[in-house]
């Protein structure tokens, strides 16, 4: 995703752009290079706005291809021990499988006249000048061929993901090892597709059940994707991972703090095997602290990857592409000197706040190593207070949603209005009222909205 968006930006500033892909694309089939693509993906509103700007009409295409479009007010969200009050309308969500999203965007790339796509090509190393101060291209190997070839370029952009070999390649050129920051959370995912039951009545489109840290580590989420299918993802932190066997997967759902997902999985028809994925840590490579050779940029997960529970990855790739566009707009025409240093510095600044927000949530668990200054403890106390109020107050839950979708600054949450709401008595509806979940071929149980509990 980072590579496709960056290529779109670069095509407006260079005579020729070549996008190298290690995998072979075959429609919407899963790819080895995107191990997380069988799991739930939602697009934050900030990403939607940026991607639509690069590919006008893309989201109409996605909906035509089967993507679901709905409003955040139609999401049932259990967080910090309560069902949150429904947010106010206005934040549009698109949910679909990751292969569908990638294939629709990739289908737009051939429209870019100066962009060449090369599948099944593996980059072997960087090609530098004699003084190793300038990158002149890459050495690559095509699939099933032993010989390598050199692709010359004025600018090389690494968007090869978390497993990027750039740190080693730079060491081979005599540079020091790039500094890395890690906040280990040891998340494990297990996902599966289900047919949506025809006899089910709900008052929501998507369902999320989050843990209350630090006493709980397990979560579950259900989102609609193409062909009237539900994609269910369960996850656990700190090594408490969902299993990939039938009985264990169902038991994991039963252990969640609310029974809704368990009740659904007991009845829904599974369509796929259970796919798993493990994510060890939030990770940043500080290329902004390293004097890189000219003609080289690093972006996307190759530079920074976050705990996927927060759904920020695609949005941060879009923000990196937007930052690159801004840097190129002020770069003297025909002169790339200083571009790399300027970009790495600016994109590091863009990532600073999302990094702080994501790692601060993970640091609630005492066993997660990382800095916890006094302001962090104060921030967590205030955030817990807001989460309690969000169960009753749609203004608070809406402002949380805007912050999550990166359409508003986190400073909105410390505005005088929000501080007053945080420390006032609860108001409005909510406070643990569960969303509707009714199977029409079975009698509802008294005292709740979930049919056939127990």
């Amino acid at each position: 995703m980072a590579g496709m968006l960056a290529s779109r930006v670069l095509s407006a500033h260079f005579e020729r752009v070549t996008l190298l892909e290690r995998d072979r694309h075959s429609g919407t089939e899963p790819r080895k290079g995107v191990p997380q693509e069988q799991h739930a993906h939602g697009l934050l509103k900030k990403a939607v706005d940026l991607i639509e700007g690069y590919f006008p009409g893309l989201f109409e295409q996605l909906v035509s291809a089967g993507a679901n479009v709905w409003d955040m007010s139609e999401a049932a969200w259990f967080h910090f021990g309560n069902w949150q009050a429904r947010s106010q309308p206005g934040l549009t969500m698109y949910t679909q499988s990751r292969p569908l999203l990638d294939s629709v965007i990739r289908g737009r790339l051939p429209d870019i006249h100066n962009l060449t796509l090369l599948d099944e090509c593996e980059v072997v190393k960087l090609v530098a000048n004699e003084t190793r101060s300038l990158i002149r291209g890459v050495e690559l190997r095509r699939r099933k061929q032993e010989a390598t070839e050199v692709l010359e370029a004025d600018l090389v952009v690494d968007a090869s993901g978390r497993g990027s070999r750039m740190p080693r390649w730079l060491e081979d050129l005599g540079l020091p090892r790039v500094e890395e920051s890690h906040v280990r959370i040891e998340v494990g995912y297990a996902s599966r597709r289900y047919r949506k039951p025809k006899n089910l009545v709900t008052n929501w489109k998507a369902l999320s059940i989050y843990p209350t840290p630090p006493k709980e580590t397990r979560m579950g989420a259900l989102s609609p994707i193409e062909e009237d299918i539900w994609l269910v993802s369960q996850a656990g932190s700190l090594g408490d991972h969902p299993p990939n066997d039938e009985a264990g997967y169902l038991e994991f759902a039963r252990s969640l703090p609310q029974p809704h997902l368990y009740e659904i999985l007991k009845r829904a028809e599974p369509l796929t095997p259970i796919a798993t994925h493990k994510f060890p840590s939030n990770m940043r490579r500080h290329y902004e602290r390293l004097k890189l050779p000219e003609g080289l940029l690093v972006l996307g997960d190759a530079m920074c990857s976050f705990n996927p529970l927060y759904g920020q990855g695609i949005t941060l790739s879009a923000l990196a592409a937007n930052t690159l566009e801004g840097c190129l707009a002020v770069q003297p025409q025909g002169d790339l000197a200083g571009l790399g240093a300027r970009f790495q510095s600016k994109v590091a600044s863009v990532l600073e706040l999302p990094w702080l927000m994501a790692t601060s949530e993970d640091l609630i668990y005492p066993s997660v190593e990382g800095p916890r200054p006094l302001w962090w403890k104060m921030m967590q106390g205030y955030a817990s207070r807001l989460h309690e109020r969000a169960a009753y107050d749609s203004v608070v839950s809406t402002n949380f949603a805007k912050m999550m979708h990166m359409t508003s600054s986190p400073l909105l949450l410390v505005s005088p209005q929000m501080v007053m709401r945080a420390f006032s008595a609860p108001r409005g509806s909510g406070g643990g009222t569960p969303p509707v979940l009714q199977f029409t071929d079975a009698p509802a149980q008294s005292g709740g909205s979930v049919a056939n509990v127990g």
Side-chain angles (χ1 to χ4, degrees):
M1 185 62 68
M4 290 191 292
L5 298 179
S7 294
R8 173 64 183 86
V9 168
L10 293 165
S11 67
H13 297 271
F14 289 82
E15 292 180 0
R16 185 180 74 254
V17 178
T18 305
L19 178 56
L20 303 176
E21 170 60 59
R22 187 180 61 183
D23 294 330
R24 180 176 64 87
H25 279 264
S26 56
T28 57
E29 292 299 314
R31 294 187 293 124
K32 181 180 179 181
V34 189
Q36 72 274 26
E37 72 177 0
Q38 297 186 64
H39 307 278
H41 281 76
L43 287 174
L44 303 186
K45 184 62 167 61
K46 186 67 174 180
V48 170
D49 293 342
L50 289 171
I51 295 173
E52 178 71 16
Y54 295 134
F55 300 101
L58 179 87
F59 289 92
E60 289 183 12
Q61 282 184 263
L62 267 177
V63 173
S64 296
N68 285 263
V69 57
W70 45 278
D71 193 89
M72 273 294 290
S73 62
E74 299 176 287
W77 184 27
F78 186 85
H79 201 199
F80 276 82
N82 275 310
W83 289 104
Q84 305 294 284
R86 297 293 180 91
S87 64
Q88 299 164 349
L91 283 173
T92 302
M93 288 289 292
Y94 293 86
T95 51
Q96 60 285 305
S97 66
R98 176 64 185 272
L100 176 65
L101 175 63
D102 281 4
S103 67
V104 171
I105 294 180
R106 187 176 170 87
R108 295 289 293 270
L109 297 184
D111 297 338
I112 303 173
H113 73 278
N114 59 340
L115 175 63
T116 300
L117 302 171
L118 292 181
D119 283 355
E120 298 187 283
C121 287
E122 181 181 12
V123 175
V124 177
K125 65 178 182 180
L126 299 172
V127 176
N129 65 355
E130 291 184 359
T131 61
R132 301 181 177 182
S133 60
L134 173 68
I135 301 302
R136 297 176 45 248
V138 295
E139 185 175 325
L140 62 88
R141 178 184 294 113
R142 297 178 188 265
R143 185 67 55 88
K144 299 180 181 179
Q145 294 184 11
E146 291 297 326
T148 62
E149 59 188 273
V150 172
L151 177 65
E152 294 187 352
D154 296 307
L155 180 67
V156 171
V157 178
D158 179 14
S160 58
R162 186 183 176 100
S164 165
R165 289 178 285 176
M166 185 60 67
R168 193 191 73 192
W169 292 339
L170 291 174
E171 285 187 285
D172 290 343
L173 293 178
L175 274 73
R177 185 77 177 181
V178 62
E179 295 179 46
E180 293 187 1
S181 296
H182 290 265
V183 175
R184 300 194 69 84
I185 189 62
E186 299 293 348
V187 170
Y189 271 85
S191 298
R192 196 179 204 183
R193 297 187 185 192
Y194 291 84
R195 181 75 61 192
K196 180 181 178 181
K198 296 185 182 299
N199 63 335
L200 178 61
V201 177
T202 70
N203 63 346
W204 45 267
K205 295 287 182 67
L207 175 76
S208 297
I209 301 172
Y210 273 73
T212 300
K215 64 180 181 179
E216 296 169 347
T217 58
R218 299 181 173 188
M219 64 84 65
L222 179 155
S223 59
I225 61 172
E226 51 269 25
E227 298 179 356
D228 210 23
I229 292 171
W230 275 343
L231 179 57
V232 172
S233 288
Q234 298 193 87
S237 302
L238 304 179
D240 184 19
H241 300 163
N244 63 354
D245 63 279
E246 294 277 351
Y249 195 69
L250 186 61
E251 180 61 25
F252 193 93
R254 193 178 71 85
S255 73
L256 297 177
Q258 290 293 304
H260 293 64
L261 192 60
Y262 171 68
E263 293 296 327
I264 289 171
L265 298 192
K266 283 199 306 183
R267 297 167 173 83
E269 174 194 359
L271 300 176
T272 63
I274 300 167
T276 60
H277 176 58
K278 294 182 180 179
F279 181 91
S281 66
N282 300 276
M283 181 274 295
R284 286 184 73 178
R285 295 186 176 113
H286 295 280
Y287 287 105
E288 74 279 7
R289 301 176 185 173
L290 190 64
K291 183 174 175 55
L292 292 174
E294 295 285 359
L296 178 66
L297 306 177
V298 185
L299 49 74
D301 280 5
M303 179 185 59
C304 184
S305 65
F306 290 79
N307 184 341
L309 285 178
Y310 309 127
Q312 297 174 313
I314 292 176
T315 305
L316 295 174
S317 290
L319 286 169
N322 187 59
T323 302
L324 177 57
E325 184 176 39
C327 290
L328 288 168
V330 299
Q331 190 75 18
Q333 188 171 3
D335 180 7
L336 297 180
L339 174 64
R342 186 180 305 110
F343 169 77
Q344 300 299 163
S345 176
K346 286 186 176 296
V347 78
S349 297
V350 169
L351 292 172
E352 195 64 43
L353 189 55
W355 172 264
L356 176 64
M357 291 166 56
T359 56
S360 292
E361 288 295 307
D362 290 344
L363 286 167
I364 295 176
Y365 294 101
S367 62
V368 174
E369 295 183 2
R372 294 176 177 86
L374 179 61
W375 62 260
W376 176 86
K377 296 180 180 180
M378 296 173 61
M379 181 181 73
Q380 289 303 321
Y382 178 67
S384 296
R385 188 84 178 185
L386 281 178
H387 280 299
E388 293 173 5
R389 290 299 178 266
Y392 299 89
D393 191 331
S394 64
V395 173
V396 176
S397 62
T398 298
N399 286 340
F400 262 120
K402 289 180 178 178
M403 182 196 69
M404 288 168 51
H405 283 263
M406 299 186 186
T407 59
S408 293
S409 166
L411 295 177
L412 175 65
L413 298 182
V414 294
S415 66
Q417 179 198 37
M418 291 294 287
V419 172
M420 289 181 62
R421 288 179 179 274
F423 293 98
S424 64
R427 64 183 76 181
S429 61
T433 303
V436 170
L437 180 68
Q438 173 68 58
F439 289 89
T440 57
D441 60 351
Q445 300 294 303
S446 60
S449 300
V450 179
N452 297 334
V453 173

